[in-house]
Each structure stands twice: as C-alpha cells, then as structure tokens.
C-alpha cells in the first residue's frame, strides 16, 4: 500500500497537541473509517499516527484514545514503553516524567509494566523464529550479545540477579533497534541503499544498520563488555545512518579512491580514531561485485589503533581522512 506521506514529510509535521494538521486528519479518518487498512500502512505512518493519538484529548480533557485497547498499536506501544522506562535496566518504579511536566502515576506504571512483560514474550518468540529480513539478522546478534554478558557474569563482575535484569534490557534495546531500522527501510523499494562510489556499488543494508547500531550506539548494553560506543559525530545521524555512512565514504574516497583491495577506512576526529569496515564481495542486492558496509566504530583495541601507524604500508587497503 502506497504511503500518503514520506517519513521525512511526517517528521517535518509533528503533532504538537494543537490544531490537527492535514496529514494527521487524513490518518485519523483512515483509522476511524477504514480501520482494516491500518495494518497495511507503512511502518512510519503507523508510528506517526499512534504517537499523535497519545496527545489527542477529548472535550472533557481526557485522552481521546487508549492505545492499550488498539491491537494495531501494540508494537508502537511496546516501543513507547521502552523509551519511557529503559535506563541501565528496565525501570518500573520511582518518578517517570511524561508530558507537560507530569509524572506517571503508580497505576500507569503498573499498567505499562504488565503490558511490557506480556509483549516481551511475543518479541522473544519472534526473535526465536528468526523469520524475515530483520529478525534473521537480530537473532544471531542478540544471541552473541547475551553470551557476552553471560561471560561477563562468569567473571563475577555482575550478579545472577543483575544479569537477569540486563538480559531483559537487552531484549528491549533490540526491539528499539528493530523498530528504528524498520522505520528507515520500510518505506523504500528495497531494504538497502546502494550508492556508486569510486565506480563501485557500495551497499548499506539491514545487516549494516543492525550490527553498527547494536554494537556501537547503546553504551549501557556494550561498554561493560568491552565494546566502544560512538560519540556524536558531525554528519553522522543514527536515524539516517545509511546515508550518513555512505556520504562519509564518498567524501573520503574523493581523496583516496576505493579499490578492490580496500578493507577499511580510517578516520580521525577530535583526537579519537575510527574505523569503517568494508567487504568486497558478490552482493546479493545487485547480483554484482561491490562493497558491503560491515561496521563503524571508535577504535580502542591495539590491533585497530595500529592500523593508523601502518596505513602507509597498507596502500590500496586503506582510505584515511578526517571526520568534519
């Protein structure tokens, strides 16, 4: 089903609780009069609609919609609860701020908690199935993440109770990743971006996004187990990571073009060093040879840092530049 509005168009027209804009009016009409079509809408359209519905009040000052009673909103609701309650673990106690300087009541927290743990079982079952372009990649990535934390616990650096809470948090984080990666790719004709750089097709696909996001952009899931997390970098937007990374490669390749032997690009920023891994291969996406983006992270391991000292001896394998 063709989208009424693109993700960019909806991001530029957020609902602020005031007068309904035309996009929201159209989506509400569809929800109230063509409910059967809601499930066929693009992921970013449902996200826009349900987020707006949280902020719509009736004439009596009460919420006009209760998403807990809207089956089509379950995925969004799980995501929304994760955003509110995720910290170092999932926190369902204390003061949790919401809109207009208000804090959640105890009954609201209990309701969120009950829904979270019910839908968590659905999410775990979906991961176990490993079906589809997103879950087939998330399944091995989360398995490795959980094993890293189990190994961390074996060293007695975390208690069994803390490990259990961390595992729940990891499942929540991976849903956040799934939700946002799907937001990016679902409106596109294909679940990948291809850009011609130095005469080669360079692909940023679902694997690229999930791998980089899950390993290098969530400190509370990665730092303790020895993985580096990327700081804010100019021109690198996590919500637009495919285009950001491809633009970074293109800019630097104009200084030193990619070759078939290129394995990684090295970057400097504010004294920190970063590596962006590429793999020259037969691409499933284009059925021809080109590069797949594999990873991008701040270097902390000696084996990575040493590449900056040896880059002159790695001619053809390395592209070096500044992140600006």
């Amino acid at each position: 089903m063709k989208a009424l509005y693109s993700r960019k168009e909806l991001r530029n027209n957020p609902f602020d609780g005031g007068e309904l804009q035309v996009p929201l009016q159209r989506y509400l009409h569809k929800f109230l009069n063509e409910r059967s079509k809601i499930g066929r809408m693009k992921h970013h359209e449902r996200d826009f609609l349900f987020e707006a519905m949280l902020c719509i009040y009736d004439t009596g000052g009460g919420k006009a919609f209760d998403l807990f009673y809207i089956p089509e909103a379950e995925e969004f609701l799980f995501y929304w609860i994760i955003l509110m309650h995720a910290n170092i673990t999932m926190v369902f106690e204390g003061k949790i701020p919401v809109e207009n300087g208000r804090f959640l009541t105890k009954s609201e927290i209990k309701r969120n908690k009950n829904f979270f743990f019910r839908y968590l079982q659905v999410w775990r079952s979906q991961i176990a199935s490993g079906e589809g372009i997103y879950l087939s990649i998330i399944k091995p990535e989360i398995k490795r993440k959980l094993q890293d934390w189990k190994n961390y616990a074996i060293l007695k650096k975390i208690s069994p109770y803390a490990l259990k809470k961390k595992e729940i948090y990891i499942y929540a984080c991976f849903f956040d990743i799934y939700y946002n990666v799907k937001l990016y790719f679902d409106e596109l004709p294909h679940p990948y971006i291809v850009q011609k750089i130095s005469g080669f097709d360079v692909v940023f696909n679902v694997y690229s996004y999930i791998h980089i996001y899950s390993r290098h952009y969530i400190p509370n899931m990665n730092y303790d187990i020895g993985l580096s997390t990327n700081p804010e970098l100019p021109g690198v937007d996590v919500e637009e990571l495919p285009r950001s990374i491809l633009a970074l490669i293109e800019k630097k390749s104009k200084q030193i073009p990619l070759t078939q032997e290129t394995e990684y690009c090295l970057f400097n920023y504010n004294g920190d060093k970063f590596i962006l891994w590429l793999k020259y291969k037969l691409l499933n996406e284009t059925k021809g040879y080109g590069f797949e983006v594999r990873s991008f992270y701040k270097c902390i391991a000696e084996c990575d840092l040493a590449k900056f000292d040896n880059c002159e001896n790695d001619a053809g394998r390395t592209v070096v530049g500044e992140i600006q």
Side-chain angles (χ1 to χ4, degrees):
M1 182 172 165
K2 185 178 179 180
L4 295 177
Y5 297 91
S6 69
R7 184 170 59 99
K8 183 178 180 180
E9 288 172 326
L10 294 180
R11 287 177 67 182
N12 291 336
N13 287 278
F15 177 61
D16 60 5
E19 183 179 352
L20 300 184
Q21 306 96 325
V22 172
L24 182 53
Q25 290 177 358
R26 295 182 69 182
Y27 287 122
L28 282 175
H29 175 83
K30 191 177 292 289
F31 177 80
L32 295 172
N33 299 283
E34 301 176 84
R35 183 77 173 265
S36 62
K37 295 184 179 180
I38 295 298
R40 294 161 51 197
M41 286 164 48
K42 294 296 184 181
H43 185 52
H44 72 276
E45 295 180 293
R46 292 193 301 272
D47 175 77
F48 173 82
L49 171 62
F50 295 136
E51 183 175 6
M53 288 168 74
L54 286 173
C55 305
I56 299 175
Y57 293 83
D58 58 30
T59 55
K63 290 288 185 73
F65 300 97
D66 188 343
L67 297 191
F68 286 89
Y69 290 99
I70 300 176
E72 298 92 336
E74 284 194 329
E75 193 171 80
F76 169 82
L77 191 55
F78 190 55
Y79 172 69
W80 175 70
I81 289 172
I82 289 170
L83 290 183
M84 278 198 299
H85 294 272
N87 197 335
I88 297 175
T89 61
M90 292 301 299
V91 179
F92 292 100
E93 58 186 14
K95 289 188 174 183
I96 299 173
V98 282
E99 74 279 355
N100 301 322
R102 188 178 71 85
F103 293 92
L104 291 178
T105 64
K106 288 184 178 180
S107 61
E108 287 174 322
I109 292 174
K110 182 178 180 180
R111 192 188 199 195
N112 289 351
K113 181 178 180 180
N114 289 341
F115 180 89
F116 172 82
F117 281 101
R118 179 178 69 79
Y119 200 85
L120 178 62
Q121 298 310 309
V122 175
W123 174 232
R124 293 179 70 142
S125 296
Q126 290 174 338
I127 292 175
S129 75
E131 296 178 356
I133 183 64
Y134 302 101
L135 296 176
S136 62
I137 295 167
I138 284 176
K139 183 177 180 178
E141 289 287 336
I142 196 171
K143 181 179 179 181
R144 176 165 61 170
K145 187 74 65 184
L146 292 170
Q147 187 59 55
D148 286 343
W149 278 94
K150 288 176 183 177
N151 293 340
Y152 187 68
I154 289 172
L155 297 175
K156 300 188 184 302
K157 293 187 176 181
I158 186 172
S159 69
Y161 174 74
L163 176 62
K164 185 66 176 178
K165 294 189 71 173
K166 183 62 72 174
E167 288 176 346
I168 293 170
Y169 174 75
I170 289 169
Y171 274 101
C173 287
F174 269 89
F175 187 84
D176 174 85
I177 294 165
Y178 159 80
Y179 192 92
N180 282 288
V181 172
K182 190 175 176 182
L183 271 181
Y184 188 91
F185 285 116
D186 191 52
E187 71 170 327
L188 303 180
H190 308 287
Y192 56 85
I193 299 288
V194 182
Q195 187 167 329
K196 190 73 74 173
I197 302 176
S198 299
F200 297 99
D201 285 332
V202 182
V203 170
F204 195 108
N205 54 26
V206 173
Y207 169 82
S208 311
Y209 211 152
I210 290 175
H211 180 82
I212 295 172
Y213 199 163
S214 66
R215 290 182 69 80
H216 302 293
Y217 276 97
I218 305 178
N220 289 330
M221 191 170 69
N222 292 304
Y223 182 77
D224 287 340
I225 56 175
L227 296 176
S228 68
T229 53
N230 295 336
E232 288 190 18
L233 297 168
V236 179
D237 181 353
V238 180
E239 293 184 358
E240 301 290 337
L241 199 59
R243 290 295 185 194
S244 295
I245 295 298
L246 291 174
L248 194 61
I249 298 170
E250 181 178 37
K251 185 176 181 180
K252 301 315 168 188
S253 69
K254 290 178 179 178
Q255 302 169 357
I256 306 176
L258 302 178
T259 72
Q260 291 184 19
E261 288 72 39
T262 301
E263 296 179 0
Y264 45 79
C265 304
L266 303 176
F267 300 94
N268 296 290
Y269 178 70
N270 279 356
D272 291 325
K273 300 181 185 301
F274 297 83
I275 188 167
L276 196 162
W277 287 93
L278 300 168
K279 185 174 183 179
Y280 185 75
K281 57 180 287 193
L282 180 62
L283 300 170
N284 294 328
E285 294 82 358
T286 65
K287 309 305 179 186
Y289 280 89
F291 288 96
E292 179 186 51
V293 175
R294 301 293 291 178
S295 195
F296 173 65
Y297 56 87
K298 177 182 173 181
C299 299
I300 56 176
E302 285 300 323
C303 60
D304 287 333
L305 293 170
K307 290 178 172 60
F308 287 80
D309 297 328
N310 300 327
C311 61
E312 291 184 1
N313 298 323
D314 286 339
R317 297 175 59 204
T318 309
V319 177
V320 188
E322 296 285 332
I323 297 177
Q324 299 174 341

